[in-house]
Amino acid sequence: MYDIAIIGAGIIGSFLAYDLSRYQLNIIIIDKANDIANGTTMANSAIIHTGYDPKDNTLKATLNQRGACLYNELRSKLDFTYQKCGSYVVATSEDEINILYELKKRADERKIQNSLLEKDLLLLREPNIADGVVMGLEFPDTAIIYPWEVAIALMEEAVLNGAALHLGEEVIDITRQEDHFTITTNKGLIPSKIIINAAGIHAKDIGQLIEAVPFKTQIKRGEYFVLSKKAKGLIDHIIFPAPSNKGKGVLAVPTVHGNILLGPTSDVIEEDDNSTTAEGLAYIRENLTKTIKNVPYGEVIRSYSGLRAAGNDGDFYIKPSCNYPSFIYAACIDSPGLASAPAISEYIIKNYIGKLTELTVKKQLKQRQKPLVMAKLDDEKKNEIIKKDPRFGKIVCKCENISYGEIVEAIHAVCGAKTIKGIKKRVRPGMGKCQGGFCEVEVAKIIAKELNIPLSEVLYDEPDSALGKEAK
Amino acid sequence: MKEYDIVVIGGGSAGMAAALSAKENGASSILILERNNGMGGILEQCIHNGFGLKIFKEEMTGPSFAQKLLDQIHKQQIPYRLNANVTDIGSDLTVTYVSDTEGITHLKARAIIIACGCYERSRGAISIPGKRLKGVYTAGAAQKYLNIENILVGKRVFILGSGDIGLIMARRMSLEGATVLGAAEIMPYSNGLMRNIVQCLNDFDIPLYLAHTVVDIKGNEHVESITIAQVDENRRTIKGTEKTFDVDTLLLSVGLIPENDLLINAGAQIDPKTKGAIVNERFETSIPHIYACGNALQVHDLVDYVVMEARMAGANAAKDLNKTKRKEYIFTTADKDIGYIVPQKIDPATKDPIILSFRPQRPLRSSRIIIKQNDVIIKTVKKNYLLPSEMERINLDPTLLISTHDNLMIAVEEL
């Protein structure tokens, strides 16, 4: 019997797992995907917003601001990449200048650092701001992270501290017993006293297994372009257009690895379909002309789309079921969901879990071994490591300079990668300009060797994605 | 820091040919740095034949062609390092590489030859709409899976692009039992060699859809279908012309891009048309004593030409080791219908024959290539046809130059 079952191994599930694994509780995380962070956390803008944007008296307002603080506290503890690159919201008309004043007022009230910049100064800081921009509102504390890195780090600490992680396991039914739930999955039965539904765009489907879902939601799709590292320098800060009733608009975002993201679109879609479309990508290009110029579209190395569940009232839906107080929804987590994630977990534990069960902190907590990133080391340290294990001197991904040894470590980590995409998320081979054209085969061979399986059975991502078969 | 006369980056056909030629021309210490665990570069996975007709006068497979060069490297006792990935070169001719056996190593060279080949344009680079699923491969990656690892990546295949590797893979996968349903090329003409269209598509009854591109990719975890549509002269898709194919694999053969990060980081000038270095007639980049050749300089159609070009680069690097003379250059400019010209600049005082290579931007019938200086025609060459899939190479005797300061204009005229 588990005390708590978390359904969903995205950023929300990972923070919950991390926080709850500090207590003397028996917890399990279940996700139908084959890896951590494979849904909404997989594809988004990777921004830690400061919290000026959400309207007053919303969960989003409270939790975004608190979340941003918590990331700042957690980053040294968990050693994830966190860059305070800052952001500009830019205005191109009188109306939009008024929107900047509104945002400024809200930010001042919330004590979020900000300053208005006239065009001259803005251009000095960001020379590629579009000619039509007349004013900017700076938020120096806006940060960027690498969402998968954070989710994986959190989940690894949770697992080290006793949490059970069941990936590739789909919840197909939930029934209420006298004092607990029985979760039926495609692999078996899981009894748990408490359930937290953090299933992202599938939170509604999971809720429907036990009741008529108490919120309305729709799936929104955001498409993006990724520019190669050669585009570095186009912008140093995140550039937002003035927000509208449609949301935050199309952004240009530097990434922690030196790429630039352009997007997202925001289209309501009927089903779980993360396609990109010619229209969507054209929309991004068209909208960006308002905020930045000189975008080197020749440096596009990838386009992708991400899905997020948006609540119809515009806010997160975080509360227990009316019928079953021990079934807790963490639903409708769209932007600023990533920024709010640590606070969402804190909020759920404080307001709901703490009232359902006793929270006693474990006497001893284990800490994960931080992954070795060769690129971060100086030559002397690199040579020391290569001497000990030559695999760290053998480069597999030539675009990103990733060694054989780093890939092997990612496979054997606590929540190790078992798929080509899993490796890509953790150590980034295939993220460069050739997009895996050269190294994917090499990565697959390492997985086959380390997992002791035939190369043909190596998975790209989900269980139905084995590489191929041997030719005759 | 260990010093070499010449450090060659890349142990493929270009690198080996450049090193051999440098040795013949007096360079005494040469080192080849190869990032893979064997020499030969991309030839190792090109197990089809057709290599070597021009320079060895026989038809060989890629690995045999590479072996022939490697045998000479061994005979000449030119040292090379495997698994040696160059991470940095400097305009001061320093080279940094990392390898499993040596760790991080810094070298000093008197000349550097960049011969690190090219890479395939990916799906992301051309923003094909649809889902990101297992089953979309560049043709070269699928070739590596099949020819090196014996993995057939799919059973029902469609190919986007008519580049040579895609055509070769259409035949190769057909021979291994896959069904290739067609190939689509966005241009109204093929980008692959005629012999490959005939031998790899026509002989296998594989249709080629010219002026078509992929507009959607569907599936759940892996590719289940792709949709193509016709495009107009501005490459915009024409609604109503969609055709859907049930396939599990989409191969991409949509262009090759010279690998030039090292040169860019060192500050060398890059030609936006070739995406390779800007070089003079000696294949020297804008950084003195750094040379570029092979597919790292410009994407070639035949490996024989890669070898010929690399031999020139290697010879020049060796001969120029002690020269520091600053040169004044004239530039080569392309008239309409010509995509690019290599070299981009010429020292008019040169005594050596100049090779001008270029590709036409569209297929041309019986044509005259005209080389002009200051509007005076200094050479013409007649051609029965010109195709974008074939690289043209024109020999120009430098004594034909009539001026030391007027640029060269290369034009093409359909007769």
Side-chain angles (χ1 to χ4, degrees):
Chain A
M1 172 74 68
Y2 289 99
D3 295 308
I4 302 172
I6 300 163
I7 302 175
I11 193 74
I12 306 296
S14 299
F15 268 111
L16 282 162
Y18 172 79
D19 288 338
L20 290 168
S21 69
R22 321 268 101 182
Y23 301 109
Q24 290 177 21
L25 293 168
N26 200 6
I27 67 172
I28 182 169
I29 306 97
I30 311 161
D31 200 303
K32 69 172 186 164
N34 223 2
D35 198 3
I36 302 158
N38 246 19
T40 300
T41 311
M42 176 75 207
N44 51 71
S45 304
I47 300 171
I48 304 306
H49 302 279
T50 54
Y52 61 84
D53 188 61
K55 302 256 157 54
D56 284 333
N57 306 315
T58 57
L59 270 178
K60 282 186 176 179
T62 321
L63 297 177
N64 180 354
Q65 224 182 324
R66 174 72 184 145
C69 287
L70 289 170
Y71 272 106
N72 208 0
E73 284 170 24
L74 271 170
R75 63 181 166 139
S76 51
K77 207 158 141 196
L78 280 165
D79 192 37
F80 55 76
T81 327
Y82 171 101
Q83 287 173 13
K84 221 177 245 190
C85 61
S87 63
Y88 295 120
V89 187
V90 298
T92 57
S93 66
E94 277 301 315
D95 286 351
E96 289 185 354
I97 290 177
N98 288 333
I99 296 173
L100 296 196
Y101 284 128
E102 263 173 57
L103 290 181
K104 181 171 177 44
K105 187 169 158 260
R106 217 185 280 161
D108 288 342
E109 283 166 9
R110 292 176 193 172
K111 298 192 172 59
I112 295 166
Q113 209 187 328
N114 70 88
S115 54
L116 277 171
L117 292 181
E118 292 298 331
K119 185 171 184 177
D120 317 4
L121 197 51
L122 196 55
L123 270 174
L124 273 181
R125 308 251 189 100
E126 287 292 355
N128 291 312
I129 288 283
D131 298 339
V133 170
V134 286
M135 195 185 265
L137 180 58
E138 182 187 17
F139 291 97
D141 292 333
T142 312
I144 46 177
I145 60 164
Y146 191 41
W148 320 330
E149 182 192 25
V150 179
I152 291 163
L154 293 164
M155 201 61 95
E156 289 199 341
E157 291 249 326
V159 169
L160 268 178
N161 287 300
L165 174 64
H166 286 201
L167 293 172
E169 187 158 347
E170 186 170 0
V171 173
I172 44 184
D173 197 16
I174 300 172
T175 48
R176 179 68 198 172
Q177 316 292 337
E178 205 160 307
D179 62 345
H180 70 278
F181 298 96
T182 299
I183 303 167
T184 309
T185 73
N186 59 341
K187 292 184 180 167
L189 300 178
I190 298 171
S192 179
K193 291 178 194 157
I194 298 170
I195 291 178
I196 308 175
N197 175 1
I201 60 165
H202 301 294
K204 193 173 112 189
D205 309 329
I206 296 294
Q208 270 166 354
L209 296 175
I210 60 157
E211 63 181 2
V213 175
F215 55 86
K216 287 210 161 60
T217 174
Q218 50 191 7
I219 300 176
K220 280 190 183 165
R221 177 166 70 196
E223 301 181 33
Y224 296 83
F225 282 116
V226 186
L227 298 182
S228 85
K229 290 179 180 175
K230 284 186 196 147
K232 200 178 163 138
L234 174 71
I235 45 152
D236 292 328
H237 306 78
I238 303 163
I239 309 294
F240 291 92
S244 70
N245 52 5
K246 282 188 185 160
K248 292 190 182 78
V250 177
L251 334 172
V253 190
T255 75
V256 294
H257 296 103
N259 300 90
I260 290 173
L261 303 179
L262 307 173
T265 55
S266 181
D267 295 305
V268 175
I269 55 164
E270 292 307 312
E271 53 183 71
D272 177 3
D273 177 3
N274 64 351
S275 295
T276 52
T277 62
E279 297 77 22
L281 297 176
Y283 176 90
I284 294 171
R285 292 176 77 133
E286 188 193 317
N287 275 267
L288 273 177
T289 58
K290 290 178 210 154
T291 54
I292 56 171
K293 61 185 179 191
N294 302 326
V295 180
Y297 286 102
E299 291 300 331
V300 168
I301 52 170
R302 195 173 178 80
S303 48
Y304 66 87
S305 80
L307 306 178
R308 60 253 189 199
N312 281 12
D313 68 349
D315 206 359
F316 299 145
Y317 188 91
I318 304 173
K319 59 178 82 156
S321 146
C322 302
N323 302 314
Y324 310 102
S326 48
F327 185 95
I328 300 157
Y329 288 96
C332 305
I333 312 291
D334 61 341
S335 180
L338 180 68
S340 309
I344 291 172
S345 169
E346 185 186 67
Y347 177 89
I348 289 174
I349 294 169
K350 204 165 121 194
N351 291 298
Y352 307 121
I353 306 289
K355 289 174 186 157
L356 292 165
T357 184
E358 199 159 318
L359 297 175
T360 315
V361 177
K362 284 177 185 159
K363 286 202 184 73
Q364 271 197 324
L365 286 168
K366 287 183 188 151
Q367 274 204 311
R368 79 199 267 259
Q369 201 181 344
K370 291 161 188 171
L372 184 66
V373 181
M374 290 294 278
K376 287 187 185 167
L377 307 175
D378 61 27
D379 283 7
E380 201 181 328
K381 186 77 191 151
K382 278 182 191 162
N383 277 332
E384 199 179 290
I385 290 164
I386 296 167
K387 208 164 181 187
K388 241 188 275 168
D389 185 345
R391 293 179 300 180
F392 286 91
K394 187 175 172 181
I395 301 297
V396 173
C397 167
K398 279 92 185 182
C399 302
E400 301 282 312
N401 278 325
I402 294 150
S403 68
Y404 193 109
E406 287 164 277
I407 293 170
V408 171
E409 277 209 339
I411 294 169
H412 298 300
V414 179
C415 297
K418 305 287 180 267
T419 64
I420 292 171
K421 191 166 147 190
I423 294 286
K424 196 171 161 184
K425 281 161 73 175
R426 285 163 181 80
V427 269
R428 296 177 45 79
M431 291 292 212
K433 62 181 191 298
C434 91
Q435 289 286 296
F438 282 122
C439 66
E440 189 194 296
V441 185
E442 301 305 323
V443 171
K445 279 164 70 180
I446 301 171
I447 296 173
K449 181 160 182 261
E450 296 300 318
L451 300 182
N452 200 17
I453 55 173
L455 184 58
S456 55
E457 287 173 23
V458 171
L459 298 181
Y460 176 71
D461 183 19
E462 299 296 341
D464 195 20
S465 65
L467 271 187
K469 48 203 298 179
E470 283 185 34
K472 278 169 202 136
Chain B
M1 209 187 300
K2 215 168 167 188
E3 281 198 40
Y4 289 86
D5 275 353
I6 294 179
V7 171
V8 181
I9 299 171
S13 51
M16 289 195 283
L20 286 165
S21 171
K23 175 106 184 182
E24 285 163 27
N25 284 280
S28 53
S29 60
I30 302 170
L31 177 68
I32 306 176
L33 297 172
E34 166 54 45
R35 64 190 191 178
N36 288 329
N37 60 5
M39 298 285 271
I42 210 69
L43 286 175
E44 291 301 301
Q45 67 185 61
C46 301
I47 63 170
H48 52 284
N49 66 353
F51 301 93
L53 273 171
K54 303 264 178 201
I55 56 166
F56 295 126
K57 307 292 174 223
E58 59 173 307
E59 222 179 338
M60 287 180 274
T61 64
S64 313
F65 187 102
Q67 189 60 45
K68 212 154 176 152
L69 290 173
L70 186 57
D71 288 346
Q72 293 177 41
I73 293 284
H74 287 151
K75 202 168 150 201
Q76 293 300 322
Q77 297 181 325
I78 297 174
Y80 56 84
R81 301 269 188 281
L82 299 177
N83 292 325
N85 195 61
V86 176
T87 50
D88 196 42
I89 61 170
S91 55
D92 57 352
L93 304 178
T94 51
V95 177
T96 305
Y97 69 94
V98 54
S99 83
D100 49 354
T101 50
E102 298 167 282
I104 316 264
T105 309
H106 301 281
L107 298 176
K108 182 91 179 76
R110 294 173 65 209
I112 297 171
I113 301 175
I114 303 289
C116 46
C118 58
Y119 65 96
E120 296 177 280
R121 185 170 280 130
S122 70
R123 173 190 179 177
I126 55 171
S127 303
I128 306 173
K131 282 195 165 187
R132 259 122 292 268
L133 301 163
K134 185 256 163 189
V136 181
Y137 296 93
T138 57
Q143 187 179 48
K144 189 171 179 184
Y145 269 121
L146 184 52
N147 292 350
I148 308 285
E149 304 301 336
N150 201 38
I151 297 286
L152 186 62
V153 293
K155 298 292 273 179
R156 289 176 66 82
V157 183
F158 196 90
I159 298 171
L160 176 61
S162 58
D164 287 308
I165 315 169
L167 301 176
I168 295 285
M169 281 311 288
R171 173 174 66 186
R172 183 79 185 96
M173 290 187 79
S174 298
L175 290 173
E176 289 296 342
T179 307
V180 181
L181 282 88
E185 167 58 54
I186 195 165
M187 302 306 283
Y189 51 81
S190 155
N191 266 313
L193 293 174
M194 190 48 77
R195 72 175 191 210
N196 286 334
I197 297 283
V198 173
Q199 294 171 10
C200 302
L201 293 185
N202 299 358
D203 287 0
F204 289 82
D205 291 328
I206 298 168
L208 173 62
Y209 298 90
L210 292 174
H212 276 73
T213 193
V214 173
V215 293
D216 200 10
I217 301 173
K218 282 200 160 69
N220 197 5
E221 289 177 22
H222 55 75
V223 175
E224 288 167 24
S225 73
I226 63 110
T227 302
I228 64 169
Q230 203 179 332
V231 297
D232 64 19
E233 56 273 22
N234 297 317
R235 298 196 220 169
R236 281 181 310 224
T237 55
I238 302 169
K239 286 251 151 54
T241 61
E242 292 85 358
K243 289 185 191 71
T244 296
F245 296 85
D246 292 334
V247 292
D248 57 24
T249 304
L250 176 66
L251 292 192
L252 304 178
S253 186
V254 292
L256 300 169
I257 305 167
E259 170 68 71
N260 268 315
D261 286 358
L262 292 172
L263 274 174
I264 293 169
N265 292 339
Q269 289 169 7
I270 300 295
D271 182 341
K273 289 182 185 163
T274 58
K275 301 208 161 52
I278 289 178
V279 292
N280 63 18
E281 80 291 346
R282 299 179 77 73
F283 299 98
E284 188 180 23
T285 66
S286 60
I287 303 174
H289 299 291
I290 299 185
Y291 296 76
C293 58
N295 283 349
L297 174 64
Q298 58 175 333
V299 175
H300 291 63
D301 52 349
L302 298 180
V303 69
D304 300 72
Y305 294 141
V306 165
V307 168
M308 285 151 80
E309 181 177 286
R311 289 192 58 84
M312 288 177 73
N316 294 334
K319 288 180 201 163
D320 294 352
L321 279 174
N322 297 315
K323 291 186 190 157
T324 51
K325 196 182 126 222
R326 249 190 93 86
K327 294 170 192 162
E328 296 301 327
Y329 290 108
I330 58 170
F331 294 88
T332 57
T333 54
D335 202 1
K336 73 173 172 59
D337 291 334
I338 295 181
Y340 66 87
I341 312 275
V342 171
Q344 291 83 355
K345 55 187 188 181
I346 291 169
D347 169 14
T350 183
K351 299 279 180 287
D352 298 324
I354 300 160
I355 307 275
L356 297 169
S357 34
F358 67 89
R359 288 178 191 241
Q361 280 176 316
R362 63 182 178 96
L364 296 164
R365 267 171 266 223
S366 181
S367 299
R368 199 161 68 124
I369 298 164
I370 303 160
I371 304 172
K372 290 189 277 194
Q373 207 177 12
N374 202 11
D375 269 342
V376 178
I377 296 177
I378 59 169
K379 177 167 179 148
T380 63
V381 181
K382 253 192 90 174
K383 288 274 170 182
N384 290 331
Y385 63 87
L386 290 164
L387 296 172
S389 57
E390 294 184 16
M391 194 171 103
E392 293 299 327
R393 290 161 56 89
I394 309 282
N395 270 296
L396 180 68
D397 181 344
T399 59
L400 293 174
L401 296 176
I402 55 166
S403 139
T404 55
H405 56 272
D406 289 306
N407 291 341
L408 272 192
M409 163 77 88
I410 292 88
V412 61
E413 240 178 41
E414 231 170 350
L415 297 171

